Amino acid sequence: MPQKPIVYDAPIPEPRALTAAALQSEILEKLTYSVGKDPIVARPHDWLKATILAVRDRIIDQWMESSRETWRTSKKRVYYLSLEFLIGRLMRDAMSNIGLMEPVREALKNLNVDLGDLINLEPDAALGNGGLGRLAACFHESMSSLKIPAYGYGIRYANGMFRQEMSEGWQVELPEDWLMHGNPWEFERRESSYEVGFGGHVEPITEPDGLVRHEWRPSEHMLAVAFDTPIVGWRGARVNTLRLWSAQSIDPILLDKFNSGDHIGALEESARAEALTKILYPADSTPAGQELRLRQEFFFSSASLQDIVRRHLQQYGDMGSLPDKVAIHLNDTHPAISIAEMMRILMDLHGLRWAQAWKLTRGTFGYTNHTLLPEALESWPVGLLERLLPRHMQIIYAINAEVLTEARSRAGFTDAQVANVSLIDEHGSRRVRMGQLAFVGSHSINGVSALHTELMKETVFADLNALYPDRINNKTNGVTPRRWLMQCNPGLTKLISDRIGPQFMDNLELLANLDAHADDPGFQQQFAAVKRANKVALAQVIKDRLNVTVSPDAMFDVQVKRIHEYKRQLLNVVQAVAQYSELRAHPERDWVPRVKVFAGKAAPGYWNAKLIIKLINDVAKVINNDPAVRGLLKVVFLPNYNVSLAETIMPAADLSEQISTAGMEASGTGNMKFMANGALTIGTLDGANVEMLQAVGEDNMVIFGLKADQVAQKRARSEVPRAAIDNSPALKDALESIASGVFSPDDPNRYRDLIGGLYDHDWFMVARDFDAYAAAQKRVDEAWRTPKKWYSMAIGNTAHVGWFSSDRTIRQYAEEIWKVPVDSQ
């Protein structure tokens, strides 16, 4: 039965004073009565919690009013489902967005506490891996800033992505215990708990009218419990909710087993539930790992959909208005099982017939594709889905029958085309293609850069695009300027504000006014001073973490991102080896001092990526300790790359390495963060680099290498790369020195197979792009030698970053996909 709608008519509280004195009193009150500490004995972590609680109190009134306003106006809500939300530290973000940074700083100063120390003490939420999760966080903040009613749904990982440490240059994965001491930002919502089932069987039930209804009877149940975190928009425009699910067993202990002496077995159900939300991306190289990952995806998808449907019925009373009041967005294929789960909920729980349920489902869902890599377009063994989610497998077969019938009868597809659009991959062991499921079950499918979207149409979804030609569209990614310029680079923010006025903080595209000052010698000098101060800060981090001294007057050449062969950290380090050889052979030349900074994590089961990390560290050990180099080249790998480390690295970078194999990076967002902070890009025409080049112009970027169509042609011809290596003396020498053990004397054969792959197939075009890359680096050197030219280019990058704001991206999602109104500012 529909629930009676809730009417919100509570009075809006009066805003509290923003003075330092008022905040000082509130922080002391929290320290005393919530933390339970006397200021005399309070430690830094006590002050951190007290300050967070005081700031959080200032957010809650607006949070509640945001919810009331949505109920009062019956606005359409956006629900963003993502397996990752890399939100980073929240205190500075919240204080900045509601204008509390300086009052809190002064309040703490009066208490002999340094705000900067507390900001650095807050742990990073380990809820994501890289670009996908950080994009979700940027989008959620932009939705709040644009006053779009929205919920983010994900998993409350207890450990999340592993903490990366180095042992003799090798990556070591350790638990990231960010929740060990609790999370003062979150609120447990015990009333928002839902049962999620697995396994069991499906029971057909004949209704009085003769129609057959299906009832799934799971053999295993667990509870999804909600934990809510407020996400504050710019200037407190709106506060939305990030709802994360934690798994709990229905019976925390099996007393019969415990009393019979099986004390470990008595905790089996609790352990199974705890494992579900323990780790992000459990290794899926084993059947058990695959099952756990599928369980995670269904667990959070099912809980989220139950919550969405409950809220919708509570306000509107029937399911028919679902697409008009609800927009559910799938961030990549991880939540794709939601399509089948929504169909189950509509048909099995609410009695809708197939046609109506399918129409509502497709009208409600949108899907963002983030990759063309086959391994990232998830698929699951049919047998696993039939055992774990038997009703969903029935629904997937039924959806597939409808799609294939339409492909054959309406579109006249060939057998090969029908096989391509099928939700079931019949090649080898039968698998369910989650990308196809997300595609056919959504009314909108978008790529994340212009090039990526076109390649989607031409490659992975070519036949689905022919079957449903109006569904694919482009929404180029963006990043939130609040975190990635205003908060992480206050010096540059103030400099820009002093020169063109502070209005750009509310509309990033006004940064274009900075272009008129790019050649101003005085402004260039100020810009350079801000950059150097940021480099001094990063140099100190390098010294503290690695005990390596680098000069802030050298060019900081930075590649920080997930370690993957297509991102080509290998190309970068091979070029460093070639430069090292050239530097020793010709010490008399006018060398540009460089610090090559690497950071990023390799997936635990990705051997070549972990080997590349080891190679970077081995090369660094040799180069950094060779007196012949005279400090002109340094190589460093900073472990445990996360949002907080990125906030130090991005403002300090002079050169941004965006050198992925063309056609393989969907968009990239690190490229935009570097651009905002005045770094030049050296890159391929891949992902959003293409649109960045259009925005900033060829004079302000350094582009090199094969284009996406050329890469495809070389792969299609199975071209042998050995000739490219033999014709490049610098490359051949660098590869031979790595393969022969020059950088690994303890194990001369360590890199033989890694380098051998470049000779045998070079799938990622490292060898074939090397000469173009080396030449591009020389062009970078030439620009660096002329500071006036360099800083004109750097300022030009910052001036043209406005279009790459996540606010612009979210406006496009809202207007073109979700059909929700946005703030008119």
Short mmCIF file of all heavy atoms in Angstrom, two decimals, residues 571 575 578-579 582 594 682 704 728 730-731 769-781:
data_model
loop_
_atom_site.label_atom_id
_atom_site.label_comp_id
_atom_site.label_asym_id
_atom_site.label_seq_id
_atom_site.Cartn_x
_atom_site.Cartn_y
_atom_site.Cartn_z
N LEU A 571 56.83 4.11 -21.30
CA LEU A 571 57.40 5.04 -22.28
C LEU A 571 58.15 6.16 -21.57
O LEU A 571 59.27 6.54 -21.98
CB LEU A 571 56.28 5.63 -23.14
CG LEU A 571 56.66 6.72 -24.15
CD1 LEU A 571 57.68 6.21 -25.15
CD2 LEU A 571 55.42 7.25 -24.86
N GLN A 575 62.26 6.74 -21.72
CA GLN A 575 62.83 8.01 -22.18
C GLN A 575 63.77 8.60 -21.14
O GLN A 575 64.79 9.22 -21.48
CB GLN A 575 61.69 8.99 -22.50
CG GLN A 575 62.12 10.24 -23.26
CD GLN A 575 62.56 11.38 -22.36
OE1 GLN A 575 62.09 11.48 -21.21
NE2 GLN A 575 63.43 12.24 -22.86
N ALA A 578 67.00 6.88 -21.64
CA ALA A 578 67.67 7.41 -22.83
C ALA A 578 68.28 8.78 -22.53
O ALA A 578 69.42 9.08 -22.95
CB ALA A 578 66.68 7.51 -23.98
N GLN A 579 67.56 9.61 -21.80
CA GLN A 579 68.09 10.93 -21.45
C GLN A 579 69.30 10.79 -20.51
O GLN A 579 70.27 11.55 -20.63
CB GLN A 579 67.01 11.77 -20.78
CG GLN A 579 67.45 13.20 -20.50
CD GLN A 579 66.32 14.05 -19.95
OE1 GLN A 579 65.15 13.70 -20.07
NE2 GLN A 579 66.67 15.17 -19.33
N GLU A 582 72.27 9.97 -22.62
CA GLU A 582 72.70 11.13 -23.39
C GLU A 582 73.36 12.17 -22.50
O GLU A 582 74.36 12.81 -22.87
CB GLU A 582 71.48 11.74 -24.11
CG GLU A 582 71.85 12.75 -25.19
CD GLU A 582 70.65 13.25 -25.95
OE1 GLU A 582 69.51 12.78 -25.66
OE2 GLU A 582 70.82 14.13 -26.82
N ARG A 594 65.62 18.39 -14.64
CA ARG A 594 64.27 17.80 -14.57
C ARG A 594 64.14 16.91 -13.35
O ARG A 594 65.07 16.19 -12.98
CB ARG A 594 63.97 16.94 -15.79
CG ARG A 594 63.56 17.70 -17.01
CD ARG A 594 62.82 16.75 -17.95
NE ARG A 594 62.70 17.34 -19.27
CZ ARG A 594 61.61 17.23 -20.02
NH1 ARG A 594 60.56 16.56 -19.57
NH2 ARG A 594 61.57 17.78 -21.22
N ILE A 682 52.15 17.52 -22.16
CA ILE A 682 52.74 16.76 -23.25
C ILE A 682 51.87 15.53 -23.39
O ILE A 682 51.66 14.80 -22.42
CB ILE A 682 54.22 16.41 -22.99
CG1 ILE A 682 54.80 15.62 -24.18
CG2 ILE A 682 54.43 15.66 -21.68
CD1 ILE A 682 56.30 15.41 -24.11
N PHE A 704 52.14 14.76 -29.61
CA PHE A 704 53.02 13.87 -30.36
C PHE A 704 52.30 12.55 -30.61
O PHE A 704 51.26 12.26 -30.03
CB PHE A 704 54.32 13.60 -29.58
CG PHE A 704 54.12 12.66 -28.42
CD1 PHE A 704 54.33 11.30 -28.56
CD2 PHE A 704 53.67 13.14 -27.19
CE1 PHE A 704 54.12 10.43 -27.49
CE2 PHE A 704 53.47 12.27 -26.12
CZ PHE A 704 53.69 10.92 -26.27
N SER A 728 66.06 3.32 -34.21
CA SER A 728 66.17 4.37 -33.20
C SER A 728 67.30 4.03 -32.24
O SER A 728 67.10 3.29 -31.27
CB SER A 728 64.85 4.52 -32.43
OG SER A 728 64.98 5.44 -31.37
N ALA A 730 68.77 5.62 -29.87
CA ALA A 730 68.54 5.98 -28.47
C ALA A 730 67.60 4.99 -27.80
O ALA A 730 67.83 4.57 -26.65
CB ALA A 730 67.96 7.39 -28.39
N LEU A 731 66.55 4.60 -28.50
CA LEU A 731 65.60 3.63 -27.94
C LEU A 731 66.25 2.27 -27.78
O LEU A 731 66.12 1.62 -26.73
CB LEU A 731 64.38 3.52 -28.87
CG LEU A 731 63.37 2.42 -28.52
CD1 LEU A 731 62.77 2.64 -27.13
CD2 LEU A 731 62.25 2.35 -29.56
N ASP A 769 56.10 4.97 -30.73
CA ASP A 769 55.90 6.38 -30.39
C ASP A 769 57.12 7.00 -29.72
O ASP A 769 57.12 8.20 -29.43
CB ASP A 769 54.69 6.54 -29.45
CG ASP A 769 53.41 6.90 -30.18
OD1 ASP A 769 53.49 7.21 -31.38
OD2 ASP A 769 52.33 6.86 -29.56
N PHE A 770 58.18 6.20 -29.51
CA PHE A 770 59.30 6.71 -28.71
C PHE A 770 59.99 7.91 -29.35
O PHE A 770 60.23 8.92 -28.68
CB PHE A 770 60.33 5.61 -28.45
CG PHE A 770 61.53 6.11 -27.70
CD1 PHE A 770 61.50 6.20 -26.31
CD2 PHE A 770 62.67 6.53 -28.36
CE1 PHE A 770 62.59 6.69 -25.61
CE2 PHE A 770 63.77 7.02 -27.67
CZ PHE A 770 63.73 7.09 -26.28
N ASP A 771 60.33 7.82 -30.60
CA ASP A 771 61.07 8.91 -31.23
C ASP A 771 60.25 10.21 -31.24
O ASP A 771 60.79 11.30 -30.99
CB ASP A 771 61.47 8.54 -32.67
CG ASP A 771 62.67 7.59 -32.70
OD1 ASP A 771 63.32 7.43 -31.65
OD2 ASP A 771 62.93 7.01 -33.77
N ALA A 772 58.95 10.08 -31.50
CA ALA A 772 58.09 11.27 -31.47
C ALA A 772 58.02 11.85 -30.06
O ALA A 772 58.01 13.08 -29.88
CB ALA A 772 56.69 10.92 -31.98
N TYR A 773 57.99 10.98 -29.07
CA TYR A 773 57.94 11.42 -27.68
C TYR A 773 59.25 12.12 -27.29
O TYR A 773 59.23 13.20 -26.66
CB TYR A 773 57.69 10.21 -26.78
CG TYR A 773 57.64 10.49 -25.30
CD1 TYR A 773 56.74 11.42 -24.76
CD2 TYR A 773 58.48 9.81 -24.42
CE1 TYR A 773 56.68 11.64 -23.39
CE2 TYR A 773 58.42 10.02 -23.05
CZ TYR A 773 57.52 10.95 -22.54
OH TYR A 773 57.47 11.17 -21.19
N ALA A 774 60.37 11.53 -27.67
CA ALA A 774 61.66 12.14 -27.35
C ALA A 774 61.80 13.50 -28.02
O ALA A 774 62.32 14.46 -27.41
CB ALA A 774 62.80 11.20 -27.78
N ALA A 775 61.33 13.61 -29.24
CA ALA A 775 61.39 14.91 -29.94
C ALA A 775 60.47 15.93 -29.25
O ALA A 775 60.82 17.12 -29.13
CB ALA A 775 60.99 14.73 -31.40
N ALA A 776 59.31 15.47 -28.80
CA ALA A 776 58.39 16.37 -28.10
C ALA A 776 59.01 16.86 -26.79
O ALA A 776 58.85 18.04 -26.42
CB ALA A 776 57.07 15.65 -27.82
N GLN A 777 59.76 16.00 -26.12
CA GLN A 777 60.42 16.42 -24.88
C GLN A 777 61.49 17.48 -25.16
O GLN A 777 61.72 18.37 -24.34
CB GLN A 777 61.04 15.21 -24.17
CG GLN A 777 60.03 14.24 -23.56
CD GLN A 777 59.35 14.77 -22.30
OE1 GLN A 777 59.40 15.97 -22.02
NE2 GLN A 777 58.73 13.89 -21.55
N LYS A 778 62.12 17.40 -26.31
CA LYS A 778 63.10 18.44 -26.66
C LYS A 778 62.40 19.77 -26.92
O LYS A 778 62.95 20.85 -26.60
CB LYS A 778 63.92 17.99 -27.87
CG LYS A 778 64.86 16.82 -27.56
CD LYS A 778 65.78 16.52 -28.71
CE LYS A 778 66.64 15.29 -28.42
NZ LYS A 778 67.47 15.45 -27.20
N ARG A 779 61.19 19.72 -27.48
CA ARG A 779 60.42 20.95 -27.66
C ARG A 779 60.04 21.55 -26.31
O ARG A 779 60.01 22.77 -26.14
CB ARG A 779 59.16 20.69 -28.50
CG ARG A 779 59.44 20.18 -29.90
CD ARG A 779 58.31 20.47 -30.88
NE ARG A 779 57.02 19.97 -30.45
CZ ARG A 779 56.55 18.75 -30.69
NH1 ARG A 779 57.33 17.87 -31.34
NH2 ARG A 779 55.35 18.39 -30.31
N VAL A 780 59.75 20.69 -25.37
CA VAL A 780 59.46 21.16 -24.01
C VAL A 780 60.68 21.87 -23.43
O VAL A 780 60.58 22.95 -22.83
CB VAL A 780 59.03 19.98 -23.11
CG1 VAL A 780 58.96 20.41 -21.65
CG2 VAL A 780 57.68 19.40 -23.55
N ASP A 781 61.86 21.26 -23.61
CA ASP A 781 63.09 21.88 -23.13
C ASP A 781 63.30 23.27 -23.74
O ASP A 781 63.69 24.22 -23.04
CB ASP A 781 64.31 21.00 -23.48
CG ASP A 781 64.43 19.79 -22.56
OD1 ASP A 781 63.75 19.76 -21.52
OD2 ASP A 781 65.22 18.89 -22.89
#
